[in-house]
Amino acid sequence: MTLSLNKITKTFGEVKALNNVSLEFTEPMIYGLLGRNGAGKTTLLNIINGRIFPDSGEVLMDGIPVADRDELLSKMHLMGEVNYYDDDLKLKDAIKTADGFYGEAFIVAEAHRYAKLFELDETKKIGKLSTGYKSIFKCCIALALDVPFVFFDEPVLGLDANHRDLFYKLLIEDYSRKPKVIVLSTHLIEEASPIIEKFVIIKQGRILLEKSAESLAQYASSVTGPKEKVEQAVSGCQILGRSFIGALETAYIVGKLSGTCDGLTVQNIDAQRLFIELTNTDKEASL
Amino acid sequence: MEINNESQIPIFMQVADALRDAIFTGAFGEDTQIPSTTEISIAYRINPATVLKGMNLLVEEQLIAKRRGVGMFVSIGARERIKEMRYSEFSKNYIKPLVLEARKLELTDEQIAALIKKEMKTDDTKSE
Amino acid sequence: MMLKAPFRKAALNNLFAVAIFYSFIVLFMIVLPLLAKVIPSWNIHMNVNGGYESFSMIFMFVLGLTCVKDNLKACAVFGRSRNTALITGIMALGTVAAVLAVLDSVFTPVTSIITGGFSSSGLMNMIYNMIPEKPFSYFGTYLVWRLCLYCGITMLGFLLSSINYRLPKVWRLVFWIGFGLLLLVGIPLSVDNMAIATVLARFLDFAIASSPWRFDVTMVVCSAIAAVLAWLIQRRAPVDRS
């Protein structure tokens, strides 16, 4: 199954939240949707799942528009930041409701198992949960679903290190058993990146980069050494950013250094560093 | 084994290294089954595709082999082969950097040899 | 369309509210008049005429107001479209209207028998001067009339709530104040104006007061218009963040 976004544009007042975005989710894979606050990640996920509607463009599943089609909408799930569950619903009743809506695609026993692993009290009402536990509960529902497309918007927000670790573990377990398209939108790039197979970086409402983890690792490198030497070596390269400690310079460049690198340290840069260099504003970069 | 996200070594290489190490130390004995891709990826919170890529390196090196419908098994003689591989890379991985650094420090050959001898002695006393 | 689950959820939610509401009403409508009879010193003259309908109307209006958001949210999180949310929401309201119409049609005569008041009395015989001979006469007519009345009222609430849902925060205030002014000032003023009052009176006479069946048709038409307007409003509405 293919889910494709076709030239999606969305404005909120004066702000262009998404600008002509086209994107495809095809093979079962864990995608990482990265972007800074306000880059348009949540807007994108909300549009895909029909919570809001684009000004122009459409979301297609195998070529058929998703909007207004229950049979397609129910093949997706978005674990979102905002709580859409009734606050006065008990957890166990919310699980029952999810079961009613998703039917066979929702594995009730799994939901209970996840809730137990996270030590959720199912007799509690959703409104009584802390922000972290609300996220956890929404994750439990999403993980128990066997639909072809599952989206997580900041799933680990407000979770402690142990719960985050457990979430990643369960996510991989779930994914290995039932391969599907999983889209993970997160700010915690470092801890999520080993899980991610394909990175989608979004900046100011546009797709900046779409690369497999492998090619992302090769995408850029850093060159460190005395300022003049570094500048000489990287001239002609596409430079993403520079940082200085006194006369010691680190330049982040696209690709590898082609010329000599005598006396210079050349290193690969990880996803997090690359993300920062790609999405820095000029002001931040000058600091 | 610990996977280091920030390491310069790609994660799939780290996985391969860890598997070789486990075979070499005997944790994964010859002719026994090694954990599945899923088990490994869950244990280290890394993508199954990455684990598979690491495993495939070992398959290419004929250290492990797939048995249809069962899983991956450590090949007979794998341990010996890893030893050979490590031996052949010993010079490149350990001696060459040592010599390079020693040259930068302008150490004489005698000094280097003495330092090695000394280190070996302390290591011997420790292990006793 | 996959209507079952959202309908079930919305209907169950509503019926739960009905159960609580109706237990109170029955208690109030039967126990109080009986007590008043037993304790004459209370000297309360209970008139239950039209009582059930008045309460049910208010209840249906409020239910129409409140059900929009819950249903939209549930459909948004569990993979259903706007159309489904709207249709199942209206279906669930219709179910409640039917349940209340039946309950009211049964309890009105029953109450009047128990409390020894008039035989079956309600809003309809006040408007149309239909004096029942037996407690359960006009049962069918009454049942349908009530159903249509409740549908009309609840759809008004549904429409208002849909408008409210779509409006930005500041405009909501303006909208509700405007709505209040229309009710409190606009209608009395227009009644004062002879020309408008005549037109209004003629319309009401024709559409509502002339016969119960014509009232039914008016209510169904109004409900349908409200439903279409609500659909236009909700079709592409973003799901509320709060």
Side-chain angles (χ1 to χ4, degrees), chain A residues 30 165-166 168-169 172-173 175-176 190-191 193-197 214 267-268 270, chain B residues 3 5-6 8-12 38 41-50 53:
Chain A
I30 302 179
D165 189 57
L166 180 58
Y168 295 129
K169 183 184 167 208
I172 295 170
E173 194 187 285
Y175 170 72
S176 309
E190 208 170 303
E191 59 178 44
S193 61
I195 293 174
I196 294 167
E197 254 178 289
E214 219 172 299
Q267 289 190 309
N268 294 326
D270 61 19
Chain B
I3 297 291
N5 305 342
E6 286 158 273
Q8 288 293 304
I9 304 161
I11 294 173
F12 77 94
T38 310
S41 62
I42 290 173
Y44 298 112
R45 321 287 193 255
I46 45 182
N47 196 291
T50 313
K53 218 175 141 196

Side-chain angles (χ1 to χ4, degrees), chain C residues 84-166:
Chain C
T84 300
L86 185 101
I87 290 167
T88 54
I90 292 174
M91 275 163 62
L93 287 176
T95 309
V96 175
V99 168
L100 279 184
V102 171
L103 286 174
D104 288 352
S105 298
V106 172
F107 271 100
T108 303
V110 166
T111 307
S112 50
I113 294 166
I114 293 174
T115 59
F118 303 101
S119 56
S120 171
S121 53
L123 275 183
M124 196 175 78
N125 50 33
M126 285 185 200
I127 298 174
Y128 305 106
N129 274 328
M130 294 158 80
I131 313 294
E133 291 140 26
K134 288 183 217 137
F136 283 96
S137 49
Y138 302 125
F139 185 82
T141 319
Y142 228 148
L143 185 71
V144 176
W145 188 83
R146 284 189 172 111
L147 175 62
C148 294
L149 171 68
Y150 299 158
C151 283
I153 289 284
T154 204
M155 285 312 294
L156 175 66
F158 193 78
L159 177 61
L160 290 176
S161 174
S162 303
I163 296 169
N164 173 70
Y165 189 81
R166 195 70 208 255

Side-chain angles (χ1 to χ4, degrees), chain B residues 89-101:
Chain B
E89 283 181 352
F90 183 75
S91 180
K92 186 185 110 196
N93 288 345
Y94 299 94
I95 306 297
K96 202 174 168 198
L98 181 134
V99 173
L100 268 174
E101 182 69 10

Side-chain angles (χ1 to χ4, degrees), chain A residues 42 46 49-53 67-78 81-86 89 94 97-98 100-102 141, chain C residues 1-7 9 13 70-71 73-85 234-242:
Chain A
T42 301
N46 278 339
N49 287 273
R51 293 190 183 181
I52 57 175
F53 295 88
D68 298 331
R69 283 187 174 81
D70 289 345
E71 65 278 13
L72 301 184
L73 284 166
S74 59
K75 289 201 162 47
M76 308 190 274
H77 181 76
L78 167 58
E81 272 185 273
V82 182
N83 181 37
Y84 284 132
Y85 293 90
D86 292 348
L89 209 58
T97 311
F101 275 77
Y102 281 106
I141 298 280
Chain C
M1 277 206 199
M2 295 148 82
L3 304 175
K4 200 180 143 205
F7 170 67
K9 183 182 184 294
N13 266 1
D70 283 352
N71 211 25
K73 275 158 77 175
C75 285
V77 79
F78 293 130
R80 292 295 188 279
S81 67
R82 286 309 143 78
N83 295 352
T84 300
Q234 286 186 26
R235 213 171 75 87
R236 289 292 176 260
V239 180
D240 210 342
R241 306 203 98 231
S242 54

